[in-house]
Each structure stands twice: as C-alpha cells, then as structure tokens.
Amino acid sequence: MSTIRGARERARIEITAAIKDEARKQLAAEGAAKVSLRAVARELGMASSALYRYFPSRDDLLTALIIDAYDAVGEAAEAAWEVARGTSGGHPARWAAVACAARDWALAHPHEYALIYGSPVPGYIAPQDTIGPASRVGLVFMGVVREAHSDDGLAAPSLDADLRPEAERMADELAPDLPPAVVTALIAAWAQLFGLISFELFGQFHRVVEDREPFFRRAAEELGHSVGLLRGRGTRTSRGRT
C-alpha cells in the first residue's frame, strides 16, 4: 500500500509541476490576467475536471505561481547574503550583493517578476499564504542591517518629528531591536531598490541608463548607506532606539 501511495504522490508532484510550467508559459506569452485553467488543461492534454483536482480555481494556480516566484527571489537573496558573509567585504558590500542578486533573478525571470512586482491582476486578491514568501527578501536586508548594528554600529539617519510615531510603530512591529529611524530608512530603501529593478525591466531606463549593472550597484550601495551602513570601519554609533 505504501508503494502505491508513494507512486501516487510522485505522480501528483510531477503533474503539479507540469501544470505550473504550462501556466508560466501562458504568463510569458499573454500576461497573468490571461492565465486560464482550461487553456492549461488543453495544452497538457488533460480534461479540465482533472486539472481542478490540483488547482480548484485560476486564483489558486496564480497563488502557487506567486509563492514560487517570491520563494525563488528570496532564495537568491539568501544565497547571495550567505556567500557575501564568507568574504572580506563589509556590511555595505553584503547589502549590495543581496540587491544585485534580486536584480539578477528579475532579469532572468522577467515575467515572474512582473507577476509579483508589476500591476495587480484584475480580480485577484492574494491570500495570507503569500505573506511569508513575499517577506523573504526584505528579511535578508533586515538581517544585513541587524548584523551591522551588532558588529559596527550604524550611522542612524535623521528622523523628522512628524514621522516618529509611524517610525516607532513600524519598528515595534518589524524590528524592535533596531532604531526607528533605521527601520524607516530600511523600508524606504527596500522599496527604492525594487523601483530601480522595475524601471529597468519595464523599459523606463531606455535611452537613459545604458550601462545598467554598475549604475544599479552604485545606487544600491548608496541606499545601504542611507539606512546607516557605515562607509568605513572603526566608526561606532549608539545602538539605542533613536
């Protein structure tokens, strides 16, 4: 009985992967809004009713693709951080390595990037299942900053009085061990990094920025400094909540 069950589970895994692969082809050809369970079933030679046993609705299939995409870019960021931690580069270099890994993944998977960072799919509401995967890249950046805070200290950014209540709320919810000014700058830098990637992928840099890799790396480094990562060694700052 266990042998039969194992064979069924393997078959289900293989069919699920085939369904998602075909859906990614549709995603690349026509965009997320045009992904269709019937079209996927037709291309795979399956009855629509059979496919519904794997994904009950189009939204369930989109959710699976979204989670896979977030996990993939998250894995790329995590791997880059791990490699950078084993080199002689400091925390700013680690930040830049993670940012460049996210960009590299996006350039290699533009349609999946567009699915998770492009225009919302009409009628689709992302479920709670996507929150954890969507947080992975941000958590890597937070990890870089947290290690820098512990090792070298941070040059904490300034914080306007009118922003302090929101900054303290964000810090309490996201990173109570970091200064609110740093958490605020970190969230802004995270958003700006993906804005740079989106500008490149979606064509806004056409005939504006030609040599884009060094441009992005430099911009990423500056955003790391804006969060408080020190440009050099030996300057330590207060680790209090400022």
Side-chain angles (χ1 to χ4, degrees), residues 9-79:
E9 289 174 355
R10 287 194 297 274
R12 184 173 184 84
I13 290 171
E14 291 173 0
I15 295 171
T16 299
I19 292 169
K20 291 195 288 187
D21 285 345
E22 181 55 39
R24 290 187 187 98
K25 292 178 184 177
Q26 287 191 19
L27 188 67
E30 301 191 54
K34 296 291 185 67
V35 171
S36 161
L37 289 179
R38 290 184 180 275
V40 170
R42 182 172 60 251
E43 291 298 323
L44 293 177
M46 296 175 63
S48 298
S49 57
L51 191 145
Y52 291 140
R53 293 200 293 269
Y54 295 87
F55 296 100
S57 71
R58 182 211 65 163
D59 285 4
D60 290 305
L61 178 54
L62 283 177
T63 295
L65 298 180
I66 288 168
I67 289 173
D68 283 354
Y70 276 132
D71 278 337
V73 67
E75 288 169 7
E78 290 160 3

Side-chain angles (χ1 to χ4, degrees), residues 66-67 70-71 73 117 129-139 190:
I66 288 168
I67 289 173
Y70 276 132
D71 278 337
V73 67
Y117 291 113
D129 294 354
T130 61
I131 293 176
S135 303
R136 290 178 66 170
V137 175
L139 289 174
W190 177 30

Side-chain angles (χ1 to χ4, degrees), residues 100-111 113 197 200-201 213:
C100 289
R103 173 182 175 270
D104 289 345
W105 181 88
L107 293 175
H109 304 88
H111 304 293
Y113 178 89
I197 294 171
E200 181 172 357
L201 257 66
E213 191 280 330

Side-chain angles (χ1 to χ4, degrees), residues 146-167:
R146 186 174 277 120
E147 282 191 351
H149 185 48
S150 175
D151 294 346
D152 300 332
L154 295 166
S158 62
L159 182 63
D160 293 341
D162 60 348
L163 182 55
R164 179 167 291 278
E166 177 63 7

